[in-house]
Amino acid sequence: MLLDEGDVDWRSVLREIGTHVPVVLEYPIPDRATAASELAKIRRVLAELTSD
């Protein structure tokens, strides 16, 4: 299940732990393009955190 398809509010979790904790994606991702898209979502949230 991809990030925006699950029940977990992953953006809130990522904001809570901040930028000092390494992020790892460990779930089935069907292809490279989808993996890149999932990483981009995380990078956008992390960029918001560092710009505050």
Side-chain angles (χ1 to χ4, degrees):
M1 184 169 297
L2 302 177
L3 289 171
D4 293 326
E5 296 175 2
D7 294 331
V8 174
D9 183 357
W10 64 270
R11 287 176 180 86
S12 293
V13 172
L14 197 54
R15 288 182 184 106
E16 186 69 31
I17 61 174
T19 59
H20 64 283
V21 176
V23 174
V24 176
L25 299 178
E26 189 175 345
Y27 53 92
I29 300 175
D31 54 53
R32 236 170 152 47
T34 304
S37 175
E38 294 291 273
L39 285 171
K41 292 174 191 177
I42 292 171
R43 288 183 177 133
R44 279 193 295 274
V45 173
L46 291 175
E48 292 170 10
L49 293 176
T50 57
S51 68
D52 288 341

